[in-house]
Amino acid sequence: MDVVGRYGAAAAAGDMAALAATLTKDVVWHQPGANQLSGDHVGPEAVLAHLGRFMQLSGGTFALETESATESGNLVATTVRFTAEREGAGTLDQHGVDVFRVEGDLIAEIWLIGEDQAAEDRFWG
């Protein structure tokens, strides 16, 4: 839970160096859906670039808030709310679940589950 808390705090503060420090060198971020952000992103640099795309496409409005967290073994699940605005696409405001697989004291894998993937796909294009 500690490393996921550090990850969340770094993401909320926009501290990409601190966020990268929570990830294994071969971390895999699984972005669901059928949009320009979908797919697997491997390694801290790829994850940071991916997060940068959220900000770029939303004109800096993308925000992620962790609502709760629970753990089971080396898995941590968080409930989240994510919002963004995009010209021509309106507003995205959804809840979801992020699942983290932890190795030692670092995040090795991340899966995202949004409440309405079709709406998210339309928003991101």
Side-chain angles (χ1 to χ4, degrees):
M1 290 275 276
D2 290 341
V3 69
V4 173
R6 291 193 315 273
Y7 160 91
D15 186 344
M16 295 298 105
L19 190 145
T22 67
L23 307 174
T24 63
K25 66 179 175 147
D26 57 351
V27 63
V28 180
W29 177 294
H30 303 280
Q31 185 71 43
N35 64 72
Q36 63 182 314
L37 298 173
S38 299
D40 290 348
H41 307 274
V42 181
E45 289 148 7
V47 169
L48 294 182
H50 179 60
L51 294 173
R53 290 278 293 148
F54 280 101
M55 295 306 284
Q56 176 189 18
L57 292 171
S58 70
T61 64
F62 179 78
L64 176 70
E65 174 188 352
T66 300
E67 298 175 326
S68 67
T70 189
E71 66 181 305
S72 178
N74 68 339
L75 298 177
V76 176
T78 61
T79 58
V80 298
R81 178 180 178 209
F82 53 100
T83 59
E85 294 179 16
R86 190 159 180 234
E87 191 169 325
T91 301
L92 179 68
D93 187 350
Q94 288 195 29
H95 290 85
V97 175
D98 294 351
V99 179
F100 301 82
R101 183 174 60 83
V102 177
E103 285 182 2
D105 62 349
L106 297 174
I107 297 167
E109 207 161 2
I110 305 166
W111 294 268
L112 309 175
I113 305 164
E115 68 182 330
D116 186 345
Q117 187 62 57
E120 193 174 347
D121 287 341
R122 284 190 303 275
F123 179 83
W124 293 118

